[in-house]
Every structure is written in structure tokens, then in C-alpha cells.
Amino acid sequence: MAGDGYRLVIGNKYTSSWSLRPWLAMKEAGIPFTEVRINLRAPDKTEQILAHSPAGKVPVLWAGDLMIWDSLAILEYLAEQHPDKGLWPSDPDARAIARAASAEMHSGFVPLREHCPMKFLATERQAEQGEAVEANIRRIVALWRECRQRFGADGPFLFSRFSIADAMYAPVASRFRTYVADLGAFGDDGTAAAYIEALFALSAMKVWGEGARQELAAG
């Protein structure tokens, strides 16, 4: 690790889906870090972020004097620095699929992200989502089912034990809880619903939710 200690710069816990990903992975893996939270609703949010990253976005991981400013890049760096934490599956086939699934989330599902922003504690169930969003939901439900069937026999997560892939899809689970009235309408046989419950049962997800609750209370 470059320098000493990790500093993770994140946005609001209620809405910042990209911040949740490395935060959750680090918490679940037991990798210590100092949290720096920026209120993305503050008038000077841009100046605050630029003080930590010239890219002007969160999250940002500082590893001593090394700055990493993309969620998936942060997660890959942590997996390399902490191979004992098992952030990627140990099986080569599972690891390849986990990387592909994570990359698909990183670069795809734009309609879902645009029309269903993360509101971590909200319930705004909708009977219809629009064609593009519904196609995203069907794809994710099918992908989760495939991963669980092929690699998830030994635990409740996509590749049995918690991995980067689960960190990448945790905000999607939150979106489904907020907006989707019936996952069965999108081909879920119960696998996606059970997976969402497993994610929200994580102690770190509960801590994140409490942080989101405090933000709402503070106004």
C-alpha cells in the first residue's frame, strides 16, 4: 500500500450508490479505513469534492499518497492489496464470471440508474417502469439467478461468499426494494428476492442504512 492507512471519500448514504460499493466491500472484508463524507446537497459540494479528487466525483480512495477515483478500480486495488480477504472468488471460472458481472454493472443498466436513483430507505413501488428499465430488471434477475445456480451453492451470495460482485450489485438491490412491486413479473423464481434479503441482512448494510436515516433526520 502506498503510504499508511486508507481514507475513503464518499457521498450521501441515502443516495450515493457508487459510494456504497467500496464502503460495503471494505466493511465486509474488515479492511480499516477513515470515512470522509461529503454532503452532495451542499452548495459547495463541488469544491469539497475537488479538495479530494480532481476528477470531481466520489467515491475516492486515498491509500497514503495514492489516489484512486473509480469504484471498480478501488475494488480491484483492494483485492490486489488484500488477497487474503477473498474479494474475488478463488475458483478461476467463478472469478471470471464475477468480473464480467461486475463490469456489466459498472458500464451498463443506464436506464435503471437514470430513472430509478438510489433512495436507500424509500418505498416508491411502481407497477410499470418503462420498457428500457424493465429490460434492465429482467437482465439483472436472470444474471443473479445464473450466478446463484452455477456458483452459489455454498452461501447466500452470487458466488456463495460475499465478493466484489455483491458490492457492485448492492445498490441495485436497494433500487429494487424501492421501486419494484413484484420481481416475479420480471422472471424471478424467488432467487432475486432471497438474494436481496441476504444483502440487507449484512451488518454493514444495516450500518449504512442507519447513516442514511441520520442524514434524513438532519435534513
Side-chain angles (χ1 to χ4, degrees):
M1 184 174 68
D4 296 318
Y6 289 123
R7 210 161 21 104
L8 184 66
V9 184
I10 64 171
N12 300 70
K13 290 183 174 176
Y14 189 71
T15 57
S16 185
S17 58
W18 289 106
S19 296
L20 171 57
R21 293 175 166 106
W23 187 97
L24 180 62
M26 294 180 82
K27 286 289 187 182
E28 281 301 307
I31 300 172
F33 64 95
T34 299
E35 176 184 314
V36 179
R37 196 186 317 179
I38 292 173
N39 182 359
L40 300 180
R41 293 176 294 178
D44 63 341
K45 66 178 182 180
T46 301
E47 290 78 7
Q48 289 188 54
I49 296 172
L50 288 173
H52 298 279
S53 169
K57 295 181 179 180
V58 290
V60 177
L61 180 71
W62 282 91
D65 57 1
L66 174 67
M67 181 189 69
I68 308 162
W69 64 91
D70 173 87
S71 291
L72 191 53
I74 291 169
L75 292 166
E76 287 279 16
Y77 175 80
L78 292 168
E80 292 174 352
Q81 293 295 311
H82 302 275
D84 59 308
K85 299 298 186 181
L87 284 170
W88 287 120
S90 58
D91 175 76
D93 289 355
R95 188 164 60 251
I97 299 303
R99 279 196 160 105
S102 297
E104 184 175 1
M105 177 63 256
H106 190 260
S107 62
F109 307 122
V110 174
L112 177 68
R113 290 192 271 124
E114 287 184 347
H115 295 286
C116 300
M118 190 174 84
K119 299 179 181 180
F120 198 80
L121 303 173
T123 302
E124 301 177 7
R125 303 275 167 80
Q126 301 169 7
E128 296 183 358
Q129 304 287 344
E131 184 176 347
V133 175
E134 290 179 356
N136 282 177
I137 297 171
R138 281 191 293 272
R139 168 56 188 157
I140 292 166
V141 166
L143 175 62
W144 286 358
R145 182 170 60 248
E146 178 185 358
C147 291
R148 293 283 299 129
Q149 288 175 348
R150 292 182 63 185
F151 304 108
D154 296 325
F157 301 108
L158 295 178
F159 298 87
S160 292
R161 61 171 291 177
F162 183 87
S163 74
I164 284 172
D166 302 298
M168 290 298 293
Y169 281 94
V172 175
S174 174
R175 286 178 164 99
F176 284 2
R177 266 195 165 192
T178 297
Y179 298 104
V180 181
D182 178 19
L183 282 170
F186 300 94
D188 183 32
D189 60 359
T191 301
Y195 173 58
I196 291 169
E197 290 304 311
L199 283 171
F200 274 85
L202 290 169
S203 60
M205 285 285 274
K206 294 177 182 178
V207 171
W208 181 275
E210 182 55 35
R213 199 168 286 109
Q214 291 173 6
E215 288 175 358
L216 285 181

